[in-house]
Amino acid sequence: MLKNWGVAIFIAAAMTSATAIGALAQPLPGTVSTEVRMKLERDSKLSITETVHVPDGKTVKRTVPLRLAVGNDLERQYQVTDARVEGKGSANVGDDKFSVTFEGGQATLTYTVVGAVAPVGDALEVRWQVAGGWDTELDKVAVTFSAPDSPTSVNCLAGPVGSSQPCTSADLADGKGVRAQEIKLGAGERVDVAIGLSAGVVPPNAVVVEQSGLAAAFALTPVSGAALGGLLVLLLGGVA
């Protein structure tokens, strides 16, 4: 009898613990949160699927700049294609910015980024601002990343644009990918993720243009990338 009673207590405790863990994994009621899944394709395009949770009756917006200054009158330029929203929301892509709107409920945003892979020294760096330009506070930003080969490093910064505050957590996920998380991201703040890869995993496709617009854009090859590598590092601080 005592033995059976002990087993019953153990099972009940385990069920309670599992319930609590499941509750922690869910978005907090009344808050906005997002889960960003990034996959680097072999053609260097970055496929992104973002699941956004918005409280009922609330509308939120996000505006993403597609040009980021890297100093000396140069800009790093990104291109977003195939943007669409499943659920209550919409996406609009322009030459200089990418805007999305979400209404109450859960929605899934998918899009493709061109220009995220740059040569840095004798390696590659994949960089994208996975969160930023929101007009509301985010309770949580969860990020995962996968690539054709195992990442070698991850650096995740969060907070006001230009700050060097690290994310709540970021690691290589047992060497098979990347996972990062930021808790309580303020309106207008950003999460900027930079992921290192070995050279040759994919071809670089980052593009730099002159801010004046008088010069043509040029792709960052290993040769030009070595010259501009130092400038691109400034993006780690989210210079805009």
Side-chain angles (χ1 to χ4, degrees):
M1 178 69 69
L2 290 176
K3 182 178 180 181
N4 291 339
W5 178 250
V7 171
I9 292 176
F10 175 79
I11 293 175
M15 292 177 65
T16 301
S17 176
T19 301
I21 293 174
L24 289 174
Q26 298 300 315
L28 292 176
T31 65
V32 179
S33 64
T34 178
E35 301 165 16
V36 185
R37 298 186 297 280
M38 300 189 292
K39 180 182 179 181
L40 182 64
E41 310 291 351
R42 293 190 179 276
D43 61 1
S44 301
K45 293 181 180 179
L46 191 60
S47 299
I48 298 181
T49 300
E50 185 170 352
T51 304
V52 181
H53 303 271
V54 178
D56 291 335
K58 185 178 179 69
T59 298
V60 299
K61 297 181 180 180
R62 182 190 179 203
T63 301
V64 184
L66 298 180
R67 292 174 179 260
L68 296 176
V70 293
N72 291 347
D73 297 324
L74 296 176
E75 293 178 330
R76 172 87 173 262
Q77 179 176 294
Y78 295 88
Q79 180 184 6
V80 168
T81 64
D82 305 322
R84 61 183 183 274
V85 176
E86 294 183 7
K88 295 182 179 180
S90 61
N92 182 55
V93 180
D95 293 336
D96 299 327
K97 64 182 180 180
F98 169 42
S99 303
V100 288
T101 300
F102 300 100
E103 299 178 16
Q106 176 177 307
T108 300
L109 167 68
T110 57
Y111 59 98
T112 300
V113 177
V114 179
V117 184
V120 177
D122 58 354
L124 296 175
E125 183 182 79
V126 182
R127 181 183 299 279
W128 180 241
Q129 195 174 97
V130 297
W134 288 93
D135 65 355
T136 187
E137 178 185 83
L138 297 185
D139 179 67
K140 181 177 69 172
V141 179
V143 182
T144 60
F145 171 87
S146 62
D149 198 6
S150 299
T152 57
S153 65
V154 56
N155 203 332
C156 182
L157 298 180
V161 174
S163 67
S164 57
Q165 172 185 319
C167 295
T168 302
S169 64
D171 60 67
L172 292 178
D174 299 327
K176 298 180 180 180
V178 165
R179 59 191 174 195
Q181 183 172 253
E182 176 63 13
I183 304 298
K184 298 297 183 185
L185 187 73
E189 297 182 344
R190 95 310 187 198
V191 174
D192 189 7
V193 179
I195 299 160
L197 291 172
S198 300
V201 173
V202 296
N205 65 352
V207 172
V208 168
V209 298
E210 287 193 9
Q211 290 180 346
S212 65
L214 296 178
F218 58 91
L220 279 179
T221 64
V223 175
S224 61
L228 289 170
L231 292 177
L232 292 178
V233 171
L234 292 177
L235 281 175
L236 189 59
V239 179

